[in-house]
Amino acid sequence: MTKKTIKVGVLGLQGAFQKHIEIINSLGAEAIDIRYKDQIEGCHGLIIPGGESTTMSKLIDEMNLRESLEKFPGMIFGTCAGAILLSEDGADPRVTPLRRTPVKVMRNAYGRQIESFVENISLSFNDKPFKAVFIRAPKFNNIDSSAEILGHLNGTNVLIRSGNNLLATFHPELTDDPRIHQYFLNCLQ
Amino acid sequence: MNKGSFEVKVGLAEMLKGGVIMDVTTHEQAKIAEDAGAVAVMALERIPADIRAAGGIARMSNPKVIKAIQDTVSIPVMAKCRIGHFAEAQVLEALGVDFIDESEVLTPADEENHIWKHDFKVPFVCGCRDLGEALRRIGEGAALIRTKGEAGSGNIVEAVRHMRRVQSEIRKLTTLQDDELMAEAKRLGAPFELVRQVAKTGKLPVPNFAAGGVATPADASLMMQLGAETVFVGSGIFKSEDPAARARAIVLATTYYNNPEKVAEVSAGLGDAMPGLDLAEIPEEERLAKRGW
């Protein structure tokens, strides 16, 4: 890495946060597990992991984290449930999103667990396909024209960047390929 | 498109980490569980404490109960089938449940064989009392392991015993030399390749959750500190005085298991926990943990 160590806070309320921490650490940045408001300040970027968006949405309010996450000035990377939370509208009253990204996200858009799948997707910033794991995955709807499409699966957008937010509908933390996490770290330089 | 692979099955188990999975018998209870922050619900006709009290043969739930719960909540819905009863598992898969628990809480259908879980697209969770049992189930295709504990007892002692045994047997494996692993695999009665993998990585190849006897927020904290990655709560919530408050408290105590002040705060004013049973009051032949091998 460069002179300063990049510090990434991974929201550890629930879900696959440990996998994100391992990948970020393996790339030479420092990952910390965030469960309290006062840990957020001082992070260069944040990750909201996959898990259950209803559970995380509830814990964010229980622990009074909402405002700090909404107003966090650095980039936030959300995977699956994390992407739902970063969106403007999760199309479900059980989840209160952080409204950081002008996109609607449909929860469980591919169906139940037996419809979960692994498939290669195409990335805009790298020529090699990326093996992506989709677990009860959501789909983007009404993506704002200002958003940058970074990844698609046969034409369906699955990885987007909009302002200071990076949203994936799949789980780059479940495979050993660090390219998307590296892209995120490059944005924080 | 690769659906139903082992990777996709373990993927869902990864998403359930750091959470609470609650037993529910009606869609009203499922709603209470989801509102309290459960990461999944286990759809049952009767909770384990009632199964224990009723006696007789306990079977897979009526599909009508499962469907009503699936129609109510957006979180994953799990359901139980009897040990070895692959036809019940086929029915549950056809219903689209998200996870099947091949469970000792129901009356076993096969005293020799468990289900060959690799044949299914839906992931399975299975109970264990020790590392050998955990690795036998993983060998058959389980994507998630939980302690058996003693379901419906409200008594955490068996879950603690099982979790401690699994963890200590894993630690022991990591200290052995290559030429000692075959003898240890024989002693554990576990598939050799899985024994080698655990010896190398120091952890199970799938997530490891706690179940059986969790009744309080402190019980959840205890199991998480002993190495559980998520907590199943069966009778502990809907057999207590105030299920909604207790469900919320156990969810918070699971996330903040390392913070005793937080566990104290959420434990205050919850009303009575489920009554619970001393293990000595449960005759050997009625212990659920002894079912399966």
Side-chain angles (χ1 to χ4, degrees):
Chain A
M1 288 271 101
T2 47
K3 308 126 255 169
K4 63 165 193 191
T5 303
I6 293 177
K7 191 169 154 187
V8 176
V10 182
L11 200 64
L13 299 176
Q14 190 271 315
F17 52 88
Q18 194 56 39
K19 298 270 177 196
H20 281 290
I21 290 174
E22 286 163 18
I23 295 185
I24 293 295
N25 286 333
S26 76
L27 293 172
E30 181 195 356
I32 59 162
D33 174 340
I34 301 261
R35 297 181 195 203
Y36 302 93
K37 203 168 138 182
D38 58 8
Q39 294 172 297
I40 292 174
E41 210 179 313
C43 290
H44 300 102
L46 297 178
I47 294 178
I48 306 182
E52 282 307 314
S53 54
T54 50
T55 305
M56 285 192 243
S57 173
K58 186 165 179 65
L59 289 169
I60 283 170
D61 287 326
E62 287 269 7
M63 296 305 288
N64 201 18
L65 299 169
R66 183 168 295 279
E67 199 185 343
S68 310
L69 294 172
E70 280 171 358
K71 296 189 174 156
F72 181 72
M75 184 176 261
I76 306 188
F77 178 19
T79 58
C80 196
I84 294 166
L85 287 166
L86 290 175
S87 74
E88 189 166 76
D89 185 352
D92 188 330
R94 291 172 277 214
V95 178
T96 312
L98 300 165
R99 302 180 197 288
R100 284 178 59 105
T101 317
V103 62
K104 252 193 181 182
V105 182
M106 296 296 297
R107 299 180 61 208
N108 303 335
Y110 297 86
R112 299 184 190 281
Q113 171 61 15
I114 44 176
E115 304 300 329
S116 294
F117 61 96
V118 179
E119 187 67 286
N120 283 334
I121 62 164
S122 312
L123 299 175
S124 67
F125 54 87
N126 195 290
D127 289 338
K128 265 175 50 189
F130 187 95
K131 183 179 134 188
V133 183
F134 291 82
I135 307 285
R136 288 168 40 95
K139 271 186 189 171
F140 296 128
N141 245 344
N142 307 339
I143 301 175
D144 191 80
S145 57
S146 64
E148 197 181 339
I149 308 298
L150 298 176
H152 71 87
L153 168 62
N154 305 325
T156 302
N157 298 317
V158 295
L159 178 66
I160 64 169
R161 180 185 177 172
S162 174
N164 247 344
N165 303 287
L166 180 62
L167 285 72
T169 59
F170 54 98
H171 295 282
E173 76 280 13
L174 292 185
T175 43
D176 292 329
D177 187 339
R179 279 179 289 160
I180 295 172
H181 286 83
Q182 187 62 62
Y183 175 91
F184 169 62
L185 289 177
N186 292 346
C187 295
L188 303 179
Q189 295 274 9
Chain B
M1 195 164 289
N2 189 357
K3 289 185 188 174
S5 64
F6 195 62
E7 192 174 25
V8 160
K9 293 174 179 176
V10 176
L12 180 56
E14 293 287 341
M15 296 310 133
L16 300 173
K17 281 183 177 177
V20 182
I21 300 164
M22 303 182 191
D23 279 4
V24 297
T25 58
T26 63
H27 65 276
E28 289 90 354
Q29 288 183 355
K31 177 88 173 65
I32 291 171
E34 184 176 55
D35 287 348
V39 292
V41 289
M42 178 74 71
L44 288 166
E45 245 173 55
R46 283 182 296 199
I47 54 176
D50 291 337
I51 290 174
R52 186 181 284 289
I57 302 299
R59 310 179 179 92
M60 173 187 79
S61 294
N62 186 330
K64 206 172 146 188
V65 173
I66 297 169
K67 277 191 169 156
I69 291 167
Q70 285 174 320
D71 290 344
T72 304
V73 296
S74 62
I75 54 179
V77 175
M78 302 186 170
K80 290 185 196 290
C81 71
R82 287 179 260 177
I83 290 173
H85 205 314
F86 54 86
E88 281 188 351
Q90 289 163 353
V91 170
L92 294 176
E93 182 171 70
L95 288 170
V97 304
D98 296 293
F99 237 106
I100 296 176
D101 185 1
E102 186 183 16
S103 177
E104 69 282 2
V105 168
L106 306 183
T107 312
D110 190 326
E111 293 186 330
E112 205 157 338
N113 307 296
H114 285 69
I115 295 170
W116 183 249
K117 293 165 272 287
H118 289 294
D119 278 350
F120 289 78
K121 274 188 185 173
V122 60
F124 279 76
V125 51
C126 289
C128 75
R129 287 161 295 180
D130 54 37
L131 182 60
E133 194 171 14
L135 295 181
R136 289 192 290 276
R137 297 294 85 76
I138 295 166
E140 294 157 356
L144 171 60
I145 289 296
R146 56 170 175 77
T147 58
K148 284 183 168 173
E150 187 58 32
S153 70
N155 188 339
I156 199 69
V157 66
E158 290 299 299
V160 168
R161 191 195 316 279
H162 301 158
M163 184 57 74
R164 278 196 182 274
R165 187 170 298 155
V166 169
Q167 302 289 8
S168 108
E169 287 175 332
I170 290 173
R171 276 193 300 274
K172 183 187 171 196
L173 269 190
T174 64
T175 65
L176 297 182
Q177 300 182 157
D178 284 347
D179 58 5
E180 295 171 316
L181 289 177
M182 188 60 87
E184 186 64 6
K186 183 183 173 199
R187 192 189 70 78
L188 292 169
F192 178 63
E193 284 308 319
L194 290 174
V195 169
R196 279 185 70 189
Q197 193 180 338
V198 174
K200 200 171 148 199
T201 61
K203 57 179 190 183
L204 289 182
V206 305
N208 183 15
F209 293 1
V214 176
T216 68
D219 286 346
S221 166
L222 175 66
M223 295 313 300
M224 293 295 284
Q225 291 189 58
L226 288 173
E229 295 173 296
T230 269
V231 177
F232 283 87
V233 187
S235 318
I237 290 173
F238 289 100
K239 276 285 167 193
S240 73
E241 194 180 338
D242 186 350
R246 185 161 295 266
R248 169 190 172 270
I250 294 178
V251 167
L252 280 158
T254 301
T255 295
Y256 295 93
Y257 68 90
N258 260 335
N259 178 342
E261 289 83 13
K262 191 77 196 164
V263 177
E265 179 196 320
V266 302
S267 301
L270 284 185
D272 289 340
M274 71 177 284
L277 290 167
D278 191 320
L279 264 286
E281 294 171 48
I282 309 174
E284 283 284 326
E285 65 276 12
E286 287 178 22
R287 298 215 183 148
L288 303 178
K290 290 197 175 305
R291 294 168 166 182
W293 54 277

